[in-house]
């Protein structure tokens, strides 16, 4: 394992983010790019109204520059960065609508889903046609490879879209999405280095470093939020890197927190409709349920980080 392949990209992205965020926050304040907090959320979060958002732009910048400086340019790296930046741009459009319209809702669900599917299908087609794995996926822990054939493209597209939206749902507490993704990205960087997926490994190293740098300003009480610009990019980037390394089925395990957050919303909505208005959880996504149960925001974040770390260690045995 080449540890310099992990340390150097992470260090470059970390430095860029640590320098960039303090310079970017005044710009966000000047253009009044403040977060609108939904009124139906926890009342304690209303004090966060107006906190600068779209800090994910600096995360994207840090990762892109770190990769271009430290990585050997090839098609795999280009595809990962395209998926990463494309999802980031989609998130930016969503944030822009929210800010310009002074509301908590940006693009419509149909608009976002259509654009997400287009990006995801492009990534799936590339992997199916160019990768030595073709339409084959690895089943974790049993060392079995399954050829999905024509089902590969829709399956991979589902994984990418689900990941992007799951990370987006996770971004609801100070330091939660950035901290969880920092750990998941570091895990993927180790896998990439160990199994000689250099491009994906360097990308994930840079992503981990950028998340760490962002976390310095996003920890409680947050001075800046990543917005959908950041959360969409993180989800798309993590999914793209895992797919390039042919370990897409490891992500639901290592990223179990993302999965739990998304499932909590789906179950809450289904239960609400089934029971005529009753709630399965006190509030969804899951992190809000723990908040409403009396946990401090910092405790929820710390526990979710720890769970992610344990899941990533478990995932190492599945590869």
């Amino acid at each position: 394992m080449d540890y310099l392949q992990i340390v150097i990209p992470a260090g470059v992205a970390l430095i860029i983010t640590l320098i960039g965020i303090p310079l970017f926050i005044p710009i966000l304040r000047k253009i009044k790019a403040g977060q609108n907090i939904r009124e139906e959320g926890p009342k304690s979060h209303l004090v966060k109204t107006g906190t600068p958002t779209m800090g994910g732009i600096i995360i994207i910048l840090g990762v892109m520059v770190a990769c271009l400086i430290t990585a050997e340019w090839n098609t795999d790296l280009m595809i990962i960065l395209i998926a990463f930046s494309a999802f980031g741009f989609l998130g930016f459009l969503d944030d822009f609508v929210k800010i310009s319209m002074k509301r908590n809702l940006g693009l419509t669900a149909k608009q976002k889903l259509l654009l997400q599917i287009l990006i995801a299908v492009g990534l799936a087609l590339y992997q199916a046609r160019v990768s030595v794995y073709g339409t084959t996926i690895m089943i974790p822990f049993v060392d079995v490879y399954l050829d999905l054939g024509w089902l590969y493209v829709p399956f991979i597209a589902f994984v990418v879209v689900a990941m992007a939206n799951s990370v987006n749902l996770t971004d609801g507490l100070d330091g939660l999405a950035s901290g969880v993704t920092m750990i998941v990205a570091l895990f993927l960087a180790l896998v990439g280095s160990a199994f000689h997926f250099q491009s994906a490994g360097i990308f994930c190293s840079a992503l981990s470093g950028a998340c760490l740098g962002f976390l310095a300003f996003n920890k409680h009480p947050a001075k800046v939020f990543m917005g959908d610009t950041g959360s969409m990019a993180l989800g798309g980037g993590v999914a793209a890197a895992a797919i390039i390394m042919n370990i897409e089925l490891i992500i639901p395990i290592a990223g179990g927190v993302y999965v739990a957050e998304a499932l909590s919303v789906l179950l809450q909505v289904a239960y609400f409709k089934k029971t005529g208005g009753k709630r399965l959880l006190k509030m969804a996504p899951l992190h809000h349920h723990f908040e409403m149960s009396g946990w401090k925001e910092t405790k929820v974040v710390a526990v979710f980080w720890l769970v992610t770390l344990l899941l990533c260690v478990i995932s190492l045995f599945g590869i």
Side-chain angles (χ1 to χ4, degrees):
M1 183 180 293
D2 186 357
Y3 289 103
L4 288 179
Q5 183 179 307
I6 298 173
V7 173
I8 294 176
V12 172
L14 171 64
I15 292 170
I16 292 173
T17 310
L18 287 175
I19 294 174
I21 291 294
L23 297 175
F24 195 49
I25 288 177
I27 297 174
L28 293 173
R29 293 189 185 280
K30 187 174 182 180
I31 63 175
K32 298 181 179 180
Q35 180 72 38
N36 293 302
I37 305 298
R38 59 191 183 107
E39 294 182 1
E40 63 271 22
K43 300 304 178 185
S44 60
H45 286 215
L46 293 177
V47 297
K48 300 180 182 184
T49 300
T51 300
T53 188
M54 291 202 298
I57 291 174
I58 302 300
I59 295 177
I60 295 171
L61 177 64
V63 172
M64 297 284 283
V65 172
C67 287
L68 293 175
I69 290 176
T70 63
E72 181 180 342
W73 185 259
N74 57 42
T75 309
D76 279 354
L77 179 63
M78 181 179 69
I79 291 298
I80 293 173
L81 291 179
I82 287 174
F84 176 64
S85 56
F87 272 99
F89 181 69
L90 174 57
F92 172 79
L93 291 178
D94 199 36
D95 285 332
F96 180 79
V97 172
K98 293 177 185 177
I99 292 167
S100 61
M101 300 296 292
K102 300 298 180 184
R103 66 189 192 192
N104 190 53
L105 297 176
L107 299 175
T108 66
K110 289 183 178 180
Q111 289 171 332
K112 285 191 286 189
L113 184 59
L114 176 60
L115 292 172
Q116 288 171 351
I117 291 174
L118 289 175
I119 300 169
V121 167
L123 175 61
L125 288 172
Y126 167 80
Q127 185 70 355
R129 294 180 178 180
V130 177
S131 169
V132 295
Y133 296 104
T135 56
T136 301
I137 62 171
M138 183 196 74
I139 309 300
F141 296 101
V142 294
D143 197 26
V144 171
Y145 290 81
L146 177 65
D147 191 346
L148 294 181
W150 67 270
L151 287 174
Y152 180 83
V153 170
F155 173 76
I156 293 299
F158 170 79
V159 170
V160 176
V161 172
M163 178 57 60
N165 286 293
S166 296
V167 177
N168 184 242
L169 289 171
T170 304
D171 185 32
L173 300 180
D174 296 350
L176 181 55
S178 51
V180 168
T181 304
M182 176 187 69
I183 297 168
V184 172
L186 179 57
F187 158 73
L188 291 174
L190 292 170
V191 174
S193 180
F195 291 91
H196 308 293
F197 291 100
Q198 186 179 40
S199 297
I202 289 176
F203 169 80
C204 291
S205 300
L207 184 59
S208 184
C211 285
L212 177 59
F214 185 76
L215 191 58
F217 306 95
N218 184 236
K219 67 180 187 298
H220 186 75
K223 298 180 179 65
V224 64
F225 297 140
M226 68 174 67
D228 284 0
T229 305
S231 60
M232 286 287 184
L234 297 187
V238 166
I243 289 164
I244 291 297
M245 292 190 283
N246 202 45
I247 56 170
E248 49 276 305
L249 292 186
I250 282 289
I251 292 301
I253 303 171
V257 165
Y258 303 141
V259 175
E261 295 276 35
L263 284 177
S264 70
V265 174
L266 294 175
L267 291 173
Q268 182 84 321
V269 172
Y271 190 81
F272 186 86
K273 293 180 177 179
K274 184 72 173 179
T275 60
K278 293 183 180 180
R279 297 178 184 272
L280 180 63
L281 302 172
K282 292 183 178 181
M283 185 175 290
L286 187 61
H287 54 259
H288 287 326
H289 170 77
F290 287 109
E291 274 194 293
M292 299 300 288
S293 298
W295 288 28
K296 291 184 178 180
E297 182 173 349
T298 50
K299 179 180 178 180
V300 178
V301 172
V303 170
F304 280 31
W305 285 0
L306 179 59
V307 169
T308 300
L309 180 59
L310 292 173
L311 290 173
C312 285
V313 171
I314 293 171
S315 297
L316 287 173
F317 295 97
I319 299 175

